[in-house]
DNA sequence: ACCTGAACACCGTTCAAGT
DNA sequence: ACCTGAACACCGTTCAAGT
């Protein structure tokens, strides 16, 4: 599934399956690879369509034959980056373990390309991020949570991971705030990975505790209203 | 301090204190107000310098007499938005309460202008966000945490709030991901405020628990190494 | 069917001249 | 000291013509 290393590099998605006419000279994989190469050095927003075309050795307008807009180009790349992230199945542990693994994978995949903006931050939602979101919700449903409990848990975790990626990006860009804080936070010396693991763990711990007290409160309310 | 409503509207910061020569025709407050008016309808990135100048009734280049670049303009506005947020003092409750209040205020201030990008996401760190970050760290220091504990707590909370703002912005822009998820998360019907309060609470709960177990583990390690 | 140069309507920012 | 139009070097995207 979705190797970026295919040397022949022909027909990744197969979605553009036409028979007659001049064969395409570019592949989705090639385009994605070119963008990721450029995005390793600046943010996606600072990569121009002209630069991508140049990296591919074609003209800008050739690029527009494969992708209708820059937003669509972003989605193409974001989907490619997120595609390898799996949704762990029910046999792979408790809901906590499965969610942790999914989020860890997703973050690792995205953090490998800090120049890419967050999947949801542009208009369209890349289908892969929708797939993962639905994966988390289904894990929670399997964990025996009520829909509104699942929604709260999902939102909290989603928010945390989003923030983590935002901070990853800030740091990769050498933001001044990060520098200032790094000074203040001496001598903690925490890896981004460490704060992620710690934070995710703490959040899940806290969520379980809060849901528990919410439930017992509701139960006692029910008992009270019955008497 | 920093009222946006001053009618005479002269000399906000006083930093540009010159005596001779033509007096300035614009105020920082006026500029900030103009940007916030425009930013209510689109993202800051989509507001052009020309549009700001137009909103102010001057030419673009007049604007450049007050602000050296668009980034500087962003900082000017971000600082203005964050200035009213106070760092609660030691007499205003436990460290949890004080941090919750600060973060709640900060989020409310920023969420009122969802078009503004996050304070740290551009290059320079607005001084006001540095002030608040240092405020949180000092509250934690006062709460009796070791520097590395404080760093972990700070990073987790900072990350969560950043994510919350990012999600606020996505939703304000009517992102498709939000729409899709809204469908899946029916019928929870959660306000952004509700998920924020719930999440922040859960996180602080989880952080306290995790720090506690970390400490007792360290204590038992010390005991073991002594024997 | 795919490729492509030229052009359009924008950007942020610099220059050089006005008062 | 402050103001300003014109110009520069870019954008993303459209057009119209090539093969």
């Amino acid at each position: 599934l979705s190797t970026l290393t295919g040397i022949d590099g022909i027909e990744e998605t197969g979605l553009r399956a036409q028979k007659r006419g001049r064969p395409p000279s570019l592949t989705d994989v090639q385009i994605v690879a070119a963008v990721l190469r450029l995005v390793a050095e600046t943010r996606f927003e600072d990569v121009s369509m002209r630069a991508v075309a140049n990296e591919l050795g074609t003209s800008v307008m050739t690029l527009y034959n494969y992708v209708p807009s820059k937003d669509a180009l972003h989605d193409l790349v974001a989907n490619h980056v997120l595609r390898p992230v799996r949704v762990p199945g029910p046999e792979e542990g408790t809901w906590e373990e499965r969610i942790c693994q999914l989020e860890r994978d997703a973050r690792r995949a995205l953090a490998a390309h800090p120049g890419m903006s967050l999947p949801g931050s542009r208009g369209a939602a890349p289908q892969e991020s929708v797939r993962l979101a639905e994966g988390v919700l289904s894990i929670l449903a399997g964990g025996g949570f009520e829909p509104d409990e699942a929604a709260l848990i999902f939102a909290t975790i989603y928010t945390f991971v989003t923030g983590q990626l935002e901070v990853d990006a800030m740091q990769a860009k050498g933001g001044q705030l990060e520098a200032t804080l790094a000074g203040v936070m001496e001598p903690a010396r925490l890896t981004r990975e460490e704060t992620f693991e710690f934070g995710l763990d703490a959040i899940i711990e806290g969520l379980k505790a809060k849901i528990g007290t919410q439930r017992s409160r509701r139960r006692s309310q029910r008992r009270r209203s019955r008497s």
Side-chain angles (χ1 to χ4, degrees), chain A:
Chain A
L1 245 236
S2 90
T3 76
L4 215 146
T5 48
I7 289 176
D8 50 4
I10 273 177
E11 288 187 17
E12 186 207 20
T13 61
L15 276 175
R16 202 169 19 251
Q18 88 297 344
K19 284 281 154 178
R20 299 251 164 269
R22 208 214 267 223
S25 66
L26 258 42
T27 333
D28 283 359
V29 236
Q30 288 177 314
I31 297 174
V32 168
V35 172
L36 288 181
R37 241 175 288 136
L38 293 171
V39 131
E41 274 153 38
T42 16
R43 311 197 315 256
F44 179 81
E45 306 136 39
D46 297 333
V47 173
S48 69
M49 295 297 269
R50 282 162 173 91
V52 176
N54 189 51
E55 180 78 18
L56 286 164
T58 39
S59 70
V60 207
M61 291 324 300
T62 305
L63 192 52
Y64 273 94
N65 269 259
Y66 294 85
V67 129
S69 68
K70 200 184 177 184
D71 273 341
L73 180 61
H74 185 270
D75 276 12
L76 184 72
V77 179
N79 279 329
H80 180 95
V81 169
L82 248 26
R83 208 168 348 247
V85 179
R86 285 184 332 100
V87 177
E91 72 289 353
E92 300 186 52
T94 64
W95 67 266
E96 299 101 300
E97 289 166 340
R98 289 196 280 153
I99 284 184
C100 274
Q101 190 189 315
L102 188 157
E103 299 294 353
R104 201 177 358 244
D105 284 1
R107 183 197 157 256
R108 223 196 300 272
L110 288 168
H113 309 285
M116 290 296 295
S117 18
L118 300 196
S121 63
R122 305 183 89 87
Q127 51 181 201
E128 287 300 311
S129 53
V130 174
R131 173 180 67 86
L132 293 178
E134 285 171 346
V136 171
L137 285 167
S138 81
I139 291 175
L140 289 173
F145 292 100
E146 304 292 320
D148 57 336
E149 293 171 341
L152 276 173
I153 297 177
F154 172 81
T156 306
I157 293 176
Y158 181 77
T159 283
F160 171 76
V161 175
T162 298
Q164 181 81 14
L165 288 167
E166 184 73 30
V167 175
D168 284 339
M170 285 191 214
Q171 176 176 288
K173 220 179 34 181
Q176 221 175 66
L177 203 161
E178 285 311 282
T180 310
L181 293 182
V184 184
M185 305 217 315
E186 290 282 1
R189 293 244 152 267
L190 301 164
T191 333
R192 303 284 317 125
E193 264 75 25
E194 282 170 336
T195 73
F196 179 75
E197 292 297 330
F198 179 90
L200 186 56
D201 227 64
I203 282 175
I204 289 188
E205 214 59 41
L207 284 171
K208 286 199 289 193
K210 274 220 84 176
I211 296 280
T213 64
Q214 261 196 356
R215 280 189 183 167
S216 62
R217 199 181 314 132
R218 220 175 297 151
R219 219 177 299 132
S220 63
Q221 276 176 346
R222 234 174 285 140
R223 220 177 294 134
R224 223 174 295 135
S225 67
R226 222 180 298 150
S227 66

